[in-house]
Amino acid sequence: MNRNTIYGLLLIFGILIAFSMFNAPSKEEIRAKREKDSIVVAQKQEKIADSIKRVAKADTLSSKDSTKANTVSAKKDTVKQTQKVIDAGVFSKATNGDKKFTIIENELIRFKFSNLGGRLYSVQLKNFKTFDAKPVILFDGDSTRFSLNFYSENRNISTGKLYFEPFFYDTKYNGKDSISITGQDSVRFGMRLYPDSASNPDRKKYIEYLYTIKGDNYMMRLDLNFKEMGDVLAANSNKVGLDWQADIRPQEKGSENEKISTTVYYKFIQEDVDYLSESKDDNKNLDTKVQWISFKQQFFSSALIADKGFANAKITTLKSDSLKVVKHLAADITIPFDNTQSFAMRWYFGPNHFRTLKTYHLDLERQIPLGWSFFLFRWINTGAVIPVFNWLQSFGMNYGIIILILTLLLKIVLFPIAYKTYISSAKMRVLKPEIDEINAKIPKEKTMERQQATMSLYKKAGVNPLSGCIPLLLQMPILIALYRFFPASIELRQQSFLWASDLSTYDSIYNLGFTIPFYGDHVSLFTLLMTVSTIIYTKVNNQLMGAGQQQMPGMKFMMYFMPVMFLGFFNNFAAGLSYYYFLANMLTFLQMYIIRKVINEDKIHAKIQENKKRPAGNKKSGFQKRLEDMAKKRGYNAPKK
């Protein structure tokens, strides 16, 4: 740094110091500023004090406003209650009351009744648990509705909003809010709704729900009694509406399977059972007499049955996005009314167990999806599979062992068909060199001529190319029947075997933590075993069938692709079904091994050669005749002999 730079910096510092001293405030100015700052502080403190006062005043006003608001709210409630009383008409006194419950249970069910609406408030099946070990409750609380709707004095009355008077017909139970019955015991429990004393001074007029509950029974009786209500209900009334609704609670592990199994079933008088769509929202008007309506779940049902039939009804099913609700089911039912009415109904709450439902002789068992009767699927299940299954069940064996024995018995029954199929494939294998020779001699362009030559060879050898297909077609109804039986069988519910904790739903050995499209978020081992064994079976079967492989090369890919596609389809299905198909494949391998050891293909070949030496005669098979007729229409001539 040179001397001129130093002089310059000193000059700058000197100027800054002189400027500061020249502009510094005097003592009077400093004193005035301090006084001004004190005034500002005082003003700020005064503002803070005013704010505190205003807040306190606001709190006081808010308290007064709150009291005023409460008063207004109370007035609104009073107005609402007054309007409610006015709307209730002759049932005005029934609008006030305290909600009380009465519990009645038998050996199978715990019923809970509410005096508000006089209705059944909840139903618990005592011998069953949900997938997470909670009680099975078919419906519960305010998510359900059971109410009569009718007109009285030009008012629409809904009994669900009115308080009933509970009582027991057997006076020894009166005063109790919980009782239990067993065996052959029964109890009659009533809920009565009385019109006001002005129109009913002696209380002889009433609407009554009379519940009759028996021990050890899933069926409860419900009589709707209208006592001298002709002048209370509208003069032109000949019907009463019954509104029954319920949010169906989840009970099973496989929520998707439960959703597609939950819907409303119904049966007209002297007609077959029908139901609403299981896969989408649906509704239907039932315009003729209905014998029963059922809220059906995967393994349980709540069915309302009319002894003489409901006049008509509208039923509805709605899907739900809530994890706590599977579906919302509703039935708007019409009940005939003639003043001397005592409308008899029954209510079934219980499992979808075939033998249990069949004992009531109401076709309630038709709710169990065992397959179509037209194609024999249901008859196979009800006439053969279920009786054998129940017989094996009586020995107290594990259900995995029962399925094994059932599969073994079915394979024994179907063995003649399997034997016939194998003989047919063996004959086709023996003839394969000669078929290849025909294909080599006749070019591809002459398709019909090649087929005629092949059919001529079959005829001389005494071989029917369709004989292997017919046995397979005979087995199909049985396979499809079992496909319907295992997922619908409540016997398998929560029954464990090996790694599967519940044979009625999927067996997960590993949760992926993410979802694979068309597969799921878990790995089902029984499904994997079924798929691998099916692929092996397909390969072995293709090798045995040999002769037909070159005729349909595209089918080879499809036969291997199908098991892989079913891997995703069966991954969420009942483990009992995948286990059955796996066993069926393994027993088929054993069956094929035994048949191959027993059958001598050299003897089959010798027999075919002997048949070829016999005169064929002029008689043609129907199949060959049709081929020749088709050839003539297309301009071909039959090969010269």
Side-chain angles (χ1 to χ4, degrees):
M1 183 181 294
N2 57 28
R3 188 168 50 184
N4 292 332
T5 302
I6 295 171
Y7 289 156
L9 292 173
L10 291 174
L11 180 61
I12 290 171
F13 283 125
I15 292 171
L16 291 174
I17 292 170
F19 181 79
S20 299
M21 293 176 65
F22 180 78
N23 289 285
S26 61
K27 293 181 179 179
E28 289 78 9
E29 290 176 334
I30 293 173
R31 189 182 303 111
K33 185 177 184 301
R34 286 176 179 175
E35 291 177 356
K36 185 178 180 180
D37 290 343
S38 300
I39 293 170
V40 170
V41 170
Q43 289 175 344
K44 286 184 178 180
Q45 290 177 345
E46 186 177 353
K47 287 181 179 179
I48 291 172
D50 290 342
S51 298
I52 293 172
K53 290 178 180 179
R54 283 197 300 270
V55 170
K57 186 177 181 180
D59 288 341
T60 303
L61 292 173
S62 176
S63 177
K64 291 180 179 179
D65 290 342
S66 177
T67 303
K68 185 178 180 181
N70 290 335
T71 303
V72 171
S73 177
K75 288 181 179 179
K76 286 183 178 179
D77 289 341
T78 302
V79 171
K80 189 182 293 185
Q81 180 62 30
T82 302
Q83 187 62 48
K84 187 177 179 181
V85 170
I86 294 172
D87 291 342
V90 296
F91 297 99
S92 59
K93 289 188 176 179
T95 58
N96 291 315
D98 296 324
K99 198 172 183 180
K100 297 178 181 178
F101 298 103
T102 303
I103 296 172
I104 303 174
E105 54 186 308
N106 61 16
E107 295 163 311
L108 304 173
I109 307 176
R110 183 179 184 269
F111 299 101
K112 186 176 182 180
F113 299 90
S114 172
N115 65 331
L116 179 58
R119 67 186 180 93
L120 189 54
Y121 189 79
S122 72
V123 175
Q124 176 190 336
L125 300 182
K126 297 167 68 173
N127 295 335
F128 298 92
K129 297 290 184 182
T130 63
F131 70 97
D132 51 356
K134 295 179 181 178
V136 168
I137 298 175
L138 298 187
F139 57 81
D140 181 45
D142 296 328
S143 63
T144 65
R145 186 186 301 171
F146 189 83
S147 173
L148 291 179
N149 300 310
F150 53 86
Y151 280 93
S152 175
E153 297 180 344
N154 294 321
R155 293 175 174 85
N156 187 11
I157 306 297
S158 176
T159 61
K161 303 175 183 178
L162 304 175
Y163 287 90
F164 284 61
E165 295 185 16
F167 71 99
F168 288 94
Y169 272 77
D170 190 339
T171 55
K172 70 179 181 181
Y173 295 123
N174 282 331
K176 295 184 178 180
D177 56 10
S178 178
I179 66 169
S180 179
I181 58 173
T182 59
Q184 299 301 313
D185 294 341
S186 65
V187 61
R188 293 198 301 164
F189 174 67
M191 287 278 193
R192 285 184 180 175
L193 177 65
Y194 293 95
D196 296 345
S197 56
S199 61
N200 188 27
D202 51 4
R203 290 168 64 88
K204 289 184 178 180
K205 301 176 183 180
Y206 55 80
I207 297 173
E208 179 183 58
Y209 295 162
L210 175 56
Y211 302 96
T212 304
I213 300 168
K214 295 181 179 179
D216 198 22
N217 201 311
Y218 288 112
M219 192 76 77
M220 175 183 71
R221 186 173 183 84
L222 169 58
D223 293 294
L224 299 182
N225 297 322
F226 298 89
K227 185 70 171 177
E228 298 184 15
M229 294 292 292
D231 61 340
V232 177
L233 273 66
N236 59 348
S237 290
N238 58 3
K239 61 183 181 180
V240 172
L242 174 58
D243 182 18
W244 179 31
Q245 301 184 32
D247 288 337
I248 303 302
R249 300 157 59 100
Q251 315 285 357
E252 313 304 329
K253 177 181 175 183
S255 59
E256 289 304 315
N257 291 333
E258 192 172 15
K259 285 180 181 179
I260 62 174
S261 300
T262 300
T263 189
V264 180
Y265 271 70
Y266 61 92
K267 183 183 184 301
F268 291 114
I269 298 287
Q270 297 179 343
E271 289 190 30
D272 206 354
V273 175
D274 206 347
Y275 57 93
L276 295 182
S277 172
E278 297 167 315
S279 58
K280 62 182 181 180
D281 293 346
D282 197 8
N283 65 81
K284 187 173 184 179
N285 290 319
L286 310 180
D287 296 325
T288 58
K289 274 197 170 185
V290 186
Q291 185 174 12
W292 55 259
I293 296 172
S294 176
F295 291 176
K296 183 256 180 187
Q297 300 172 242
Q298 184 175 3
F299 291 118
F300 305 99
S301 290
S302 305
L304 189 60
I305 305 136
D307 288 0
K308 295 182 180 180
F310 301 115
N312 53 66
K314 179 180 180 180
I315 52 177
T316 306
T317 174
L318 298 173
K319 291 186 290 187
S320 172
D321 296 328
S322 172
L323 296 176
K324 296 182 179 181
V325 178
V326 178
K327 282 183 182 177
H328 177 79
L329 306 182
D332 187 3
I333 303 169
T334 300
I335 295 175
F337 172 77
D338 61 3
N339 192 32
T340 58
Q341 184 75 24
S342 181
F343 194 79
M345 299 186 292
R346 283 174 287 170
W347 225 337
Y348 173 84
F349 302 103
N352 295 334
H353 182 254
F354 184 82
R355 286 197 300 178
T356 300
L357 293 173
K358 196 171 178 62
T359 58
Y360 297 108
H361 305 290
L362 293 165
D363 287 337
L364 291 170
E365 70 276 5
R366 300 286 300 189
Q367 297 178 96
I368 305 175
L370 296 174
W372 297 321
S373 299
F374 180 77
F375 293 105
L376 304 179
F377 307 144
R378 189 174 189 87
W379 291 351
I380 291 170
N381 278 324
T382 58
V385 176
I386 291 178
V388 173
F389 192 88
N390 290 334
W391 174 68
L392 294 172
Q393 183 185 2
S394 66
F395 293 98
M397 294 181 288
N398 181 277
Y399 280 86
I401 303 302
I402 291 176
I403 294 175
L404 171 61
I405 297 173
L406 180 64
T407 310
L408 185 60
L409 291 174
L410 286 170
K411 282 294 179 182
I412 292 173
V413 171
L414 297 174
F415 182 80
I417 296 177
Y419 182 82
K420 185 77 173 176
T421 304
Y422 188 89
I423 291 293
S424 176
S425 65
K427 289 180 179 180
M428 298 294 288
R429 282 196 305 275
V430 169
L431 287 175
K432 187 177 186 301
E434 298 180 52
I435 293 173
D436 291 342
E437 186 178 344
I438 291 173
N439 293 337
K441 287 181 180 180
I442 304 174
K444 291 182 179 179
E445 292 77 16
K446 298 183 179 181
T447 306
M448 187 58 65
E449 188 175 338
R450 179 185 280 188
Q451 289 180 352
Q452 288 179 324
T454 302
M455 293 307 300
S456 179
L457 173 63
Y458 288 154
K459 182 180 179 182
K460 290 179 181 179
V463 174
N464 184 353
L466 298 178
S467 62
C469 299
I470 295 173
L472 289 175
L473 291 175
L474 293 175
Q475 292 185 69
M476 286 303 294
I478 298 175
L479 295 175
I480 296 175
L482 290 169
Y483 167 79
R484 300 305 300 267
F485 169 74
F486 285 109
S489 176
I490 194 174
E491 289 88 348
L492 298 180
R493 186 178 184 270
Q494 297 180 356
Q495 297 296 327
S496 62
F497 179 67
L498 298 178
W499 58 84
S501 60
D502 187 345
L503 288 171
S504 71
T505 186
Y506 58 83
D507 57 308
S508 176
I509 60 167
Y510 182 73
N511 291 321
L512 299 175
F514 55 90
T515 300
I516 300 176
F518 306 107
Y519 182 72
D521 59 357
H522 62 274
V523 177
S524 170
L525 183 53
F526 274 131
T527 305
L528 281 176
L529 292 173
M530 178 199 73
T531 302
V532 172
S533 63
T534 303
I535 292 173
I536 296 173
Y537 169 75
T538 302
K539 183 176 181 180
V540 172
N541 194 53
N542 285 342
Q543 292 173 349
L544 292 177
M545 292 299 293
Q549 294 299 311
Q550 295 178 357
Q551 297 178 11
M552 295 182 293
M555 288 297 294
K556 187 173 183 179
F557 169 77
M558 286 300 299
M559 293 176 72
Y560 284 105
F561 176 73
M562 288 296 286
V564 177
M565 186 177 71
F566 282 135
L567 174 64
F569 184 70
F570 278 85
N571 194 56
N572 293 305
F573 256 49
L577 179 63
S578 301
Y579 170 54
Y580 160 73
Y581 280 137
F582 168 67
L583 288 177
N585 286 338
M586 301 309 294
L587 291 174
T588 300
F589 293 146
L590 177 62
Q591 202 169 245
M592 291 168 62
Y593 176 80
I594 294 172
I595 293 175
R596 292 190 70 178
K597 288 294 183 181
V598 172
I599 292 177
N600 188 330
E601 293 192 5
D602 292 334
K603 289 184 178 180
I604 293 176
H605 183 265
K607 179 69 174 175
I608 288 175
Q609 297 305 317
E610 183 180 340
N611 290 340
K612 288 168 64 178
K613 293 177 182 178
R614 296 175 183 173
N618 295 324
K619 187 177 180 181
K620 299 177 181 179
S621 68
F623 183 69
Q624 185 179 7
K625 189 175 185 304
R626 284 193 294 274
L627 282 178
E628 292 183 2
D629 291 341
M630 290 172 64
K632 289 176 182 178
K633 288 180 181 179
R634 297 183 183 183
Y636 294 111
N637 292 319
K640 295 181 180 179
K641 296 183 180 178

